[in-house]
Amino acid sequence: MDLDEIAISRAIIGTQMEKLLEFMEMDVAVVGGGPSGLTAAALLGKKGLSVGLIEKKLSIGGGMWGGGMMLPRIVVQEQAKRLLEQFDIAHTPYGSGYYVAGSVEAVSKLTAAACDAGVEFFNLISVEDVMIRGDGRLSGLVVNWSPVEMTGLHVDPLTMGCRIAVDATGHDAVLARLVEKKGGDVKVQGEGFMWADRAESRIISHTKEIYPGLVVCGMAANAVAGEHRMGPIFGGMLLSGEHAAKLVARALKQ
Ligand code: 48H
């Protein structure tokens, strides 16, 4: 068979445009493909919801790829060991109550679980605004290609609708800040200095619906709450993603 360049291009354009149209009205939009977003997306996808994960970078994984200071290892504490097991991420005990895993394996297995659960990935797309109409509920995301943002081109965005959105954008808490900036009843207090024990023990209580239709998780949850940071321990990110998935599923009665 002669390979046909036009057929190859048609296959890519045709199928991806179909997916974009399908996800114009999705159940859950997870913004940010770091550990908390991947966990939330994988668990929500497993519940049969249509879940789109929007990631501004080329690669998925957020801050997990880099481990601690570019040493590709992550540490997970006892409380989140079961999630390492659930996602089949190999881990070895270290000292009392710590487990060490490879950051590349951790990102890859979480990503694979999300793929298996039917999550659709939209990478290289940045969320630049949110849609909130008269009912005061977040009902969609305003998106553009990341290279448009990076090059500063004046290109108008498009909108993707969702029943609920998860802000998993990490330290920047992008969605929460957008809602705050535009007058929504949200206050982003900004994250505090390093205090791993406190940051990790409180992250679940900060993982919540902070505005109708907007759940915040991971480092973004701590940033909104004015909570501390924790460095390269990732149990809180996995647990926060799991908790966000529970809240979203409950809100959507799934
Ligand atoms: C689309 C966007 C946008 C946008 C950002 O930073 P992340 O890994 O987030 P978490 O919360 O899952 O994990 C945090 C963890 O990686 C970390 O940084 C820790 C534990 N730090 C502790 C410390 O003390 O420093 O991932 C967020 C993702 C990234 O991939 C961004 O590219 C993406 O969100 N993102 N995607 N549109 N506007 N903004």
Side-chain angles (χ1 to χ4, degrees), residues 7-245:
I8 294 166
S9 299
R10 270 190 207 285
I12 290 171
I13 295 169
T15 55
Q16 190 59 17
M17 288 306 142
E18 227 170 73
K19 279 291 166 200
L20 271 168
L21 286 172
E22 186 185 328
F23 278 78
M24 286 291 109
E25 290 177 73
M26 62 188 123
D27 289 323
V28 191
V30 176
V31 184
S36 68
L38 282 172
T39 304
L43 297 175
L44 286 163
K46 224 170 164 196
K47 286 188 178 291
L49 292 161
S50 68
V51 182
L53 191 149
I54 301 168
E55 167 53 55
K56 75 172 179 183
K57 294 198 176 142
L58 177 57
S59 63
I60 301 299
M64 209 188 221
W65 279 122
M69 214 181 86
M70 298 204 300
L71 305 175
R73 307 250 129 219
I74 58 160
V75 172
V76 169
Q77 64 274 47
E78 189 70 46
Q79 292 92 320
K81 178 176 178 258
R82 60 182 176 77
L83 285 163
L84 292 176
E85 283 159 1
Q86 185 173 337
F87 289 106
D88 194 28
I89 299 167
H91 50 282
T92 47
Y94 190 91
S96 146
Y98 297 111
Y99 297 88
V100 180
S103 61
V104 172
E105 178 177 349
V107 170
S108 306
K109 295 264 175 85
L110 288 172
T111 308
C115 292
D116 289 348
V119 173
E120 195 59 44
F121 285 87
F122 297 97
N123 63 336
L124 286 170
I125 292 183
S126 294
V127 174
E128 60 169 60
D129 205 346
V130 294
M131 189 164 81
I132 296 175
R133 295 215 193 107
D135 62 357
R137 184 180 173 83
L138 191 153
S139 58
L141 303 171
V142 181
V143 297
N144 216 328
W145 302 115
S146 297
V148 166
E149 187 190 78
M150 289 159 71
T151 48
L153 290 170
H154 185 165
V155 177
D156 272 359
L158 294 175
T159 305
M160 298 173 93
C162 58
R163 294 170 68 201
I164 197 160
V166 178
D167 185 345
T169 59
H171 296 268
D172 294 338
V174 174
L175 270 62
R177 282 189 198 280
L178 281 166
V179 175
E180 179 186 32
K181 190 172 133 199
K182 304 234 162 151
D185 186 17
V186 166
K187 175 93 189 88
V188 181
Q189 304 190 54
E191 78 189 35
F193 48 80
M194 182 83 88
W195 187 351
D197 189 52
R198 189 164 144 161
E200 286 286 284
S201 62
R202 296 197 173 182
I203 194 165
I204 297 300
S205 63
H206 300 319
T207 302
K208 56 184 167 197
E209 189 169 12
I210 55 164
Y211 187 84
L214 177 61
V215 168
V216 69
C217 75
M219 205 56 221
N222 275 14
V224 170
E227 190 54 81
H228 294 272
R229 61 189 297 196
M230 68 295 284
I233 181 151
F234 281 83
M237 297 303 127
L238 306 178
L239 291 166
S240 173
E242 178 188 50
H243 191 60

